[in-house]
Amino acid sequence: MKKIILLALLAANLATAQNPKRKLVWQEDFKGSKLDESVWNYELGNGCPNICGWGNNERQSYTKDNHLLQKGNLIIEARKGAEKYTSTRITTKGKKEFQYGRIECRAKLPVGKGIWPAFWMLGANIDAKGWPKCGEIDILEYVGRDPHQVYTTLHTQDGHGDKGHGKKTGIPEIEQGFHVFAVDWSKDKMDFFVDEELVFTYNPQPRNEDSWPYDQPFYIIVNMAVGGNFGGPGVDDAIFPQSFIVDYIKVYQ
């Protein structure tokens, strides 16, 4: 217990050390027995009829029953049923939205071919502008078909999908234990970190609405997809169930 407390304090100290003026403005510790629906929305189903497969030919259907809160952790569980895969996807859209700051989560990854967990953000103006004009910030993506790799990606009008702005970083022990995934977002650039190691910086030139839609609020998304264009068409059914465990989410500004 003492070790856990010390690690949490160290993470907070490192976050503020990078910018001494920064303060913790919001945190989600997943206490209690259920999600706070004044903060979190559930996105349900397979995306149909508006965006079937959630825009990526994903194979899961999202439910309210594929997660639990236990010992201060959010545990999202992907399962293989008789006819379909199920998982959970939650967002803070319209409830908690942020512009600039350090946004981070501490999480333990699932493993196995076909798994695709993510901690990411979308522009709050998505309903008006659509994707990718609204912008997307992928702080963490991991795909089980490509082990020991973490993906950090930005999707904009001038670079999205397979041509998104980002980097794949090899981390041999990323599947072991918990790790901290973060973005430090200012009006000028974004720095991405894994366990306080800088892995990618985005600072586009020229800066315009097509390259930098990041001068507006964004909301947070946590989910675990199965298969899809990025997760891969092949899914190993023997891996299920798999758990994506999130210890906390914090925002410093």
Side-chain angles (χ1 to χ4, degrees):
M1 179 60 72
K2 289 182 179 179
K3 184 177 181 181
I4 293 173
I5 294 172
L6 287 171
L7 288 173
L9 289 171
L10 177 61
N13 289 338
L14 285 169
T16 54
Q18 291 178 3
N19 187 340
K21 296 181 180 179
R22 180 183 289 133
K23 295 181 179 179
L24 180 65
V25 296
W26 181 71
Q27 68 184 79
E28 171 62 90
D29 291 323
F30 300 110
K31 303 295 185 185
S33 59
K34 61 181 182 179
L35 287 171
D36 181 354
E37 293 192 41
S38 71
V39 173
W40 295 103
N41 311 294
Y42 293 96
E43 293 194 328
L44 303 175
N46 61 5
C48 292
N50 297 325
I51 185 168
C52 290
W54 297 100
N56 299 292
N57 293 313
E58 297 166 26
R59 299 174 64 176
Q60 80 290 333
S61 181
Y62 289 122
T63 81
K64 288 188 175 182
D65 304 318
N66 281 73
H67 74 283
L68 72 155
L69 271 59
Q70 186 178 78
K71 297 181 179 179
N73 291 326
L74 167 66
I75 303 173
I76 294 178
E77 188 172 86
R79 305 173 191 146
K80 172 66 170 70
E83 297 182 355
K84 62 182 180 181
Y85 303 95
T86 56
S87 185
T88 287
R89 171 164 159 159
I90 57 174
T91 88
T92 65
K93 184 180 181 183
K95 297 176 178 178
K96 291 289 182 181
E97 298 173 349
F98 305 96
Q99 182 174 346
Y100 309 137
R102 177 186 169 95
I103 298 95
E104 68 177 32
C105 78
R106 182 174 183 264
K108 186 177 188 298
L109 300 173
V111 295
K113 187 177 180 181
I115 286 297
W116 179 8
F119 172 60
W120 53 300
M121 306 179 77
L122 282 172
N125 64 356
I126 186 170
D127 292 338
K129 291 287 189 178
W131 186 93
K133 275 189 172 293
C134 67
E136 178 176 327
I137 307 169
D138 296 330
I139 303 169
L140 158 68
E141 286 185 291
Y142 171 88
V143 286
R145 62 175 173 77
D146 192 14
H148 318 312
Q149 308 290 327
V150 171
Y151 291 80
T152 48
T153 312
L154 294 160
H155 297 276
T156 65
Q157 181 63 32
D158 73 352
H160 55 272
D162 292 340
K163 296 181 180 179
H165 312 283
K167 185 181 177 183
K168 178 173 77 169
T169 304
I171 303 175
E173 298 182 355
I174 198 64
E175 293 87 359
Q176 300 179 24
F178 284 83
H179 300 272
V180 176
F181 306 92
V183 62
D184 197 327
W185 168 22
S186 73
K187 64 182 181 63
D188 299 314
K189 65 173 183 172
M190 291 194 193
D191 291 324
F192 291 84
F193 298 85
V194 178
D195 293 331
E196 300 309 322
E197 179 181 349
L198 178 65
V199 295
F200 175 62
T201 295
Y202 180 65
N203 184 11
Q205 300 295 332
R207 188 184 308 275
N208 53 48
E209 63 178 1
D210 288 341
S211 66
W212 187 260
Y214 303 113
D215 53 1
Q216 54 142 340
F218 275 61
Y219 62 90
I220 293 170
I221 306 168
V222 183
N223 73 292
M224 175 161 49
V226 177
N229 299 339
F230 191 48
V235 178
D236 179 5
D237 288 347
I239 68 173
F240 294 98
Q242 280 293 316
S243 295
F244 179 30
I245 306 174
V246 182
D247 178 24
Y248 65 71
I249 298 170
K250 295 181 179 181
V251 179
Y252 299 86
Q253 289 181 331

